[in-house]
Amino acid sequence: MNLSLKQHASIPRSYLAVVSALLAVALISLVWLKVPNILIPMALGVIPLCVVVVFKLPFWVVLGFVCFSFFRIHEAFPALYVLRIPQLLALGSLACLAWHLFISRKLQIFWSRELSWLMAFFILCAIGVVFASSRPVAMAYFNGVFSKIGLMTVAIAWLMRKPEDFSKAAIAFFICGLMIAIVALQNAAAGREMVEGTRVTIGRSMGSVLGDPNDLALTLLFPLGFALAFSLQRGSWFIRLLAVCSTIAIIAAMLATQSRGGLLGIATISAVLAWRRVENKALLISIGALALPILFVLAGVSERSSGGAGESGIDESSMGRIYAWQAAFKMALYNPLTGVGLDNFYANYYFFSSHWDGKNHAVHSTWFGVLAETGFLGFTVFCILVFKVCRLAHGNLHLLAKQQANANLGLLACAEGVFAGLLGTIVSGTFLTQGFTWPVYIFTALVVAIAQLLRQPLQNAKPAI
């Protein structure tokens, strides 16, 4: 007997879900019978689950992409490399952003002055690609790296809507930092992937970004602010213990890189967080003045074959930086509006350097790198962006201090970590090239998102006109 339309409508949804699941299993089983390769039916079974996760948890998908792209986890753990996780997360991020932006319209879109300066800088970089001295090199870097950074910066700012989101992101960052630090310390203990005999790296033999000790120090510096802030903050004992372990491991790994820029970053982050807690500033300054030389001794900088104590006067490493900075300034003078183009400093070093030792060199400075590759115009916009983001980050801490009794501890720790990490990045930028990599832009996204969250109650409290 046929069911009436009314009777059909009364069938419980659980029955329909069971029937749908059985049909899906039957379909996979039929494919399995026809196709002997077990991976194909397994993929058919996993893909629907992945699609659900992508559209239901966009924050975690984007955060996962940022962590894998910046920390290069798949290069630190080569067993993950064949899975192509960054590429899959990139596709998932783009899909879920498009879905929530144009179809479900659940993404809360806002704008700020900081994002305007950020977009102005990205537009200048895009224009600079057209006028780059080597357009294919600039285009490859812009499409492969910088465009993703720009898109994900805005995505992070829009997706972080609750205080818990900031806590989760900060914890994810210093856990990733702990993972990278453990691998670095293992390499140092075993004497693997070493540079100059004493400086640790990761994945140098496979051409990893972490294969340069300065870049490894830069990668470890980013999560240090979050780990140290959560270590000093009241809250869950487990998270605090994890943060303390992460802080110790990250600092130990950075010391093993023997990067002077990394040491300056450690000192800056520690000083910022201590300044907010120690009332006797004179005592703090005295302790800091004593601690910095000790930090350099523990890092073994004097043992480096370049820039160590064995070189008299201005060491070879320092002179190399001076020559590189001179070349960067000449590149900006040559083309003051657009510079030589993204990722073009290395290739142009021979033509603009006053000292040639038979090989090109990296710029080893955030500020001179931006100056050389985007010209005076791009450099000015970048400096304004950094200044405004720093001022907004300090303003966020001021607002949180006013409502400290009611403030979310995780949000407060994240805001402190962002501010300390941002200042550490700025100071270490004297020796580390960070103008077109993730740290500055992730900090920008977090600062803007925290500001938007803190100002929502004020906006909602305004009387309607």
Side-chain angles (χ1 to χ4, degrees):
M1 184 176 179
N2 294 331
L3 291 172
S4 65
L5 190 60
K6 184 176 181 180
Q7 289 174 320
H8 178 74
S10 65
I11 296 175
R13 290 185 177 179
S14 59
Y15 291 166
L16 295 176
V18 170
V19 172
S20 301
L22 290 174
L23 289 174
V25 171
L27 177 61
I28 295 172
S29 300
L30 289 173
V31 174
W32 198 346
L33 290 174
K34 294 291 184 182
V35 182
N37 190 348
I38 192 174
L39 293 177
I40 295 178
M42 284 178 63
L44 289 174
V46 172
I47 286 173
L49 178 61
C50 293
V51 171
V52 171
V53 171
V54 164
F55 291 111
K56 285 290 185 180
L57 303 171
F59 168 74
W60 286 107
V61 175
V62 172
L63 182 62
F65 172 73
V66 171
C67 288
F68 269 87
S69 298
F70 174 54
F71 290 98
R72 314 304 294 178
I73 296 174
H74 56 294
E75 294 176 354
F77 301 91
L80 300 175
Y81 200 88
V82 296
L83 299 178
R84 304 293 181 185
I85 294 177
Q87 291 86 342
L88 294 175
L89 288 173
L91 293 174
S93 300
L94 292 174
C96 70
L97 286 175
W99 173 268
H100 290 293
L101 190 60
F102 300 111
I103 300 177
S104 70
R105 297 185 182 274
K106 292 183 179 179
L107 203 60
Q108 296 180 359
I109 299 175
F110 65 90
W111 205 252
S112 68
R113 293 188 182 94
E114 292 75 22
L115 291 179
S116 296
W117 284 105
L118 177 70
M119 287 300 104
F121 182 67
F122 273 93
I123 290 171
L124 288 175
C125 291
I127 295 173
V129 170
V130 180
F131 298 97
S133 59
S134 178
R135 195 177 302 169
V137 172
M139 182 69 72
Y141 191 84
F142 186 84
N143 292 336
V145 178
F146 206 53
S147 59
K148 296 175 183 176
I149 292 176
L151 178 62
M152 292 304 159
T153 300
V154 179
I156 293 170
W158 287 349
L159 285 170
M160 305 187 76
R161 296 169 290 184
K162 299 178 293 185
E164 295 77 15
D165 293 339
F166 296 93
S167 301
K168 294 172 184 175
I171 293 170
F173 290 145
F174 68 69
I175 287 176
C176 290
L178 174 61
M179 296 167 62
I180 299 299
I182 290 174
V183 176
L185 293 174
Q186 287 177 339
N187 286 353
R192 293 191 302 264
E193 306 285 356
M194 305 297 284
V195 175
E196 300 175 2
T198 57
R199 306 184 68 187
V200 69
T201 67
I202 295 176
R204 186 174 181 84
S205 57
M206 62 184 294
S208 171
V209 174
L210 306 178
D212 183 275
N214 291 316
D215 290 335
L216 177 57
L218 159 65
T219 303
L220 291 168
L221 180 65
F222 173 78
L224 179 60
F226 299 108
L228 196 53
F230 273 79
S231 301
L232 300 173
Q233 191 63 261
R234 300 186 309 273
S236 168
W237 67 269
F238 177 74
I239 297 299
R240 194 170 183 181
L241 178 62
L242 184 62
V244 170
C245 295
S246 300
T247 301
I248 295 172
I250 289 170
I251 291 177
M254 291 183 69
L255 294 178
T257 65
Q258 298 180 345
S259 169
R260 287 176 287 195
L263 296 179
L264 287 175
I266 294 173
T268 303
I269 291 174
S270 303
V272 170
L273 293 175
W275 189 271
R276 291 178 51 81
R277 288 167 171 80
V278 178
E279 294 184 2
N280 192 332
K281 308 303 183 187
L283 177 63
L284 179 62
I285 293 172
S286 301
I287 294 174
L290 293 173
L292 193 57
I294 295 174
L295 198 64
F296 271 76
V297 172
L298 291 175
V301 174
S302 60
E303 300 174 5
R304 286 172 47 174
S305 59
S306 65
E311 299 180 30
S312 60
I314 301 178
D315 58 69
E316 181 182 350
S317 177
S318 299
M319 283 307 303
R321 280 184 166 86
I322 293 173
Y323 293 138
W325 297 348
Q326 290 174 348
F329 189 73
K330 291 179 181 179
M331 291 179 197
L333 288 176
Y334 177 76
N335 199 339
L337 294 180
T338 61
V340 295
L342 292 182
D343 203 31
N344 270 254
F345 176 88
Y346 187 82
N348 282 275
Y349 179 83
Y350 170 79
F351 301 103
F352 293 92
S353 176
S354 59
H355 179 268
W356 176 248
D357 59 357
K359 58 182 179 178
N360 289 329
H361 294 272
V363 65
H364 288 299
S365 170
T366 296
W367 314 106
F368 282 100
V370 173
L371 178 65
E373 296 184 359
T374 63
F376 289 102
L377 180 59
F379 177 75
T380 302
V381 173
F382 181 78
C383 289
I384 294 172
L385 168 65
V386 172
F387 171 75
K388 287 189 170 293
V389 171
C390 287
R391 187 174 64 176
L392 184 59
H394 186 265
N396 290 341
L397 286 176
H398 185 67
L399 283 177
L400 284 167
K402 284 185 177 180
Q403 51 179 347
Q404 191 160 5
N406 301 319
N408 182 282
L409 293 179
L411 179 62
L412 178 58
C414 182
E416 278 193 321
V418 168
F419 184 62
L422 183 59
L423 293 183
T425 300
I426 290 172
V427 173
S428 66
T430 306
F431 297 103
L432 301 178
T433 310
Q434 309 176 63
F436 304 101
T437 54
W438 285 98
V440 172
Y441 307 101
I442 300 177
F443 284 134
T444 298
L446 293 173
V447 168
V448 170
I450 292 173
Q452 177 69 12
L453 179 66
L454 294 177
R455 285 155 180 75
Q456 276 179 355
L458 300 176
Q459 294 171 357
N460 296 336
K462 290 181 179 178
I465 298 176

PDB file of all heavy atoms in Angstrom, residues 42-54:
ATOM      1  N   MET A  42      38.237   4.372   0.206  1.00  0.00           N
ATOM      2  CA  MET A  42      38.508   5.063   1.470  1.00  0.00           C
ATOM      3  C   MET A  42      38.393   6.573   1.291  1.00  0.00           C
ATOM      4  O   MET A  42      37.827   7.272   2.147  1.00  0.00           O
ATOM      5  CB  MET A  42      39.900   4.699   1.978  1.00  0.00           C
ATOM      6  CG  MET A  42      40.004   3.312   2.588  1.00  0.00           C
ATOM      7  SD  MET A  42      41.692   2.925   3.118  1.00  0.00           S
ATOM      8  CE  MET A  42      41.935   4.180   4.364  1.00  0.00           C
ATOM      9  N   ALA A  43      38.898   7.076   0.172  1.00  0.00           N
ATOM     10  CA  ALA A  43      38.807   8.508  -0.106  1.00  0.00           C
ATOM     11  C   ALA A  43      37.349   8.938  -0.263  1.00  0.00           C
ATOM     12  O   ALA A  43      36.939   9.993   0.230  1.00  0.00           O
ATOM     13  CB  ALA A  43      39.595   8.857  -1.363  1.00  0.00           C
ATOM     14  N   LEU A  44      36.558   8.093  -0.935  1.00  0.00           N
ATOM     15  CA  LEU A  44      35.146   8.410  -1.094  1.00  0.00           C
ATOM     16  C   LEU A  44      34.436   8.478   0.253  1.00  0.00           C
ATOM     17  O   LEU A  44      33.479   9.237   0.436  1.00  0.00           O
ATOM     18  CB  LEU A  44      34.464   7.365  -1.988  1.00  0.00           C
ATOM     19  CG  LEU A  44      34.843   7.407  -3.468  1.00  0.00           C
ATOM     20  CD1 LEU A  44      34.202   6.233  -4.203  1.00  0.00           C
ATOM     21  CD2 LEU A  44      34.410   8.721  -4.098  1.00  0.00           C
ATOM     22  N   GLY A  45      34.899   7.676   1.196  1.00  0.00           N
ATOM     23  CA  GLY A  45      34.288   7.705   2.517  1.00  0.00           C
ATOM     24  C   GLY A  45      34.744   8.888   3.347  1.00  0.00           C
ATOM     25  O   GLY A  45      33.994   9.416   4.161  1.00  0.00           O
ATOM     26  N   VAL A  46      35.988   9.332   3.144  1.00  0.00           N
ATOM     27  CA  VAL A  46      36.539  10.419   3.950  1.00  0.00           C
ATOM     28  C   VAL A  46      36.151  11.787   3.409  1.00  0.00           C
ATOM     29  O   VAL A  46      35.932  12.729   4.170  1.00  0.00           O
ATOM     30  CB  VAL A  46      38.081  10.294   4.016  1.00  0.00           C
ATOM     31  CG1 VAL A  46      38.704  11.513   4.681  1.00  0.00           C
ATOM     32  CG2 VAL A  46      38.470   9.029   4.763  1.00  0.00           C
ATOM     33  N   ILE A  47      36.014  11.906   2.078  1.00  0.00           N
ATOM     34  CA  ILE A  47      35.742  13.199   1.455  1.00  0.00           C
ATOM     35  C   ILE A  47      34.473  13.856   1.998  1.00  0.00           C
ATOM     36  O   ILE A  47      34.490  15.050   2.335  1.00  0.00           O
ATOM     37  CB  ILE A  47      35.682  13.059  -0.083  1.00  0.00           C
ATOM     38  CG1 ILE A  47      37.105  12.872  -0.636  1.00  0.00           C
ATOM     39  CG2 ILE A  47      35.050  14.290  -0.724  1.00  0.00           C
ATOM     40  CD1 ILE A  47      37.148  12.566  -2.115  1.00  0.00           C
ATOM     41  N   PRO A  48      33.324  13.141   2.115  1.00  0.00           N
ATOM     42  CA  PRO A  48      32.133  13.802   2.672  1.00  0.00           C
ATOM     43  C   PRO A  48      32.365  14.342   4.078  1.00  0.00           C
ATOM     44  O   PRO A  48      31.904  15.442   4.406  1.00  0.00           O
ATOM     45  CB  PRO A  48      31.080  12.688   2.668  1.00  0.00           C
ATOM     46  CG  PRO A  48      31.537  11.736   1.627  1.00  0.00           C
ATOM     47  CD  PRO A  48      33.018  11.770   1.673  1.00  0.00           C
ATOM     48  N   LEU A  49      33.092  13.581   4.910  1.00  0.00           N
ATOM     49  CA  LEU A  49      33.399  14.047   6.267  1.00  0.00           C
ATOM     50  C   LEU A  49      34.252  15.304   6.218  1.00  0.00           C
ATOM     51  O   LEU A  49      34.022  16.262   6.982  1.00  0.00           O
ATOM     52  CB  LEU A  49      34.122  12.945   7.037  1.00  0.00           C
ATOM     53  CG  LEU A  49      34.562  13.288   8.467  1.00  0.00           C
ATOM     54  CD1 LEU A  49      33.354  13.619   9.334  1.00  0.00           C
ATOM     55  CD2 LEU A  49      35.357  12.138   9.066  1.00  0.00           C
ATOM     56  N   CYS A  50      35.232  15.335   5.318  1.00  0.00           N
ATOM     57  CA  CYS A  50      36.097  16.511   5.187  1.00  0.00           C
ATOM     58  C   CYS A  50      35.303  17.730   4.742  1.00  0.00           C
ATOM     59  O   CYS A  50      35.535  18.852   5.226  1.00  0.00           O
ATOM     60  CB  CYS A  50      37.230  16.233   4.200  1.00  0.00           C
ATOM     61  SG  CYS A  50      38.407  14.984   4.778  1.00  0.00           S
ATOM     62  N   VAL A  51      34.359  17.521   3.818  1.00  0.00           N
ATOM     63  CA  VAL A  51      33.527  18.627   3.341  1.00  0.00           C
ATOM     64  C   VAL A  51      32.703  19.218   4.480  1.00  0.00           C
ATOM     65  O   VAL A  51      32.586  20.440   4.633  1.00  0.00           O
ATOM     66  CB  VAL A  51      32.614  18.151   2.191  1.00  0.00           C
ATOM     67  CG1 VAL A  51      31.597  19.230   1.835  1.00  0.00           C
ATOM     68  CG2 VAL A  51      33.441  17.782   0.978  1.00  0.00           C
ATOM     69  N   VAL A  52      32.142  18.330   5.314  1.00  0.00           N
ATOM     70  CA  VAL A  52      31.350  18.788   6.456  1.00  0.00           C
ATOM     71  C   VAL A  52      32.217  19.596   7.412  1.00  0.00           C
ATOM     72  O   VAL A  52      31.824  20.668   7.892  1.00  0.00           O
ATOM     73  CB  VAL A  52      30.700  17.588   7.192  1.00  0.00           C
ATOM     74  CG1 VAL A  52      30.053  18.046   8.494  1.00  0.00           C
ATOM     75  CG2 VAL A  52      29.675  16.924   6.302  1.00  0.00           C
ATOM     76  N   VAL A  53      33.427  19.090   7.697  1.00  0.00           N
ATOM     77  CA  VAL A  53      34.343  19.785   8.604  1.00  0.00           C
ATOM     78  C   VAL A  53      34.728  21.145   8.051  1.00  0.00           C
ATOM     79  O   VAL A  53      34.765  22.152   8.778  1.00  0.00           O
ATOM     80  CB  VAL A  53      35.596  18.925   8.862  1.00  0.00           C
ATOM     81  CG1 VAL A  53      36.657  19.726   9.611  1.00  0.00           C
ATOM     82  CG2 VAL A  53      35.226  17.677   9.646  1.00  0.00           C
ATOM     83  N   VAL A  54      35.013  21.203   6.754  1.00  0.00           N
ATOM     84  CA  VAL A  54      35.438  22.455   6.130  1.00  0.00           C
ATOM     85  C   VAL A  54      34.374  23.530   6.273  1.00  0.00           C
ATOM     86  O   VAL A  54      34.663  24.680   6.635  1.00  0.00           O
ATOM     87  CB  VAL A  54      35.783  22.214   4.640  1.00  0.00           C
ATOM     88  CG1 VAL A  54      35.830  23.538   3.883  1.00  0.00           C
ATOM     89  CG2 VAL A  54      37.119  21.503   4.515  1.00  0.00           C
TER      90      VAL A  54
END
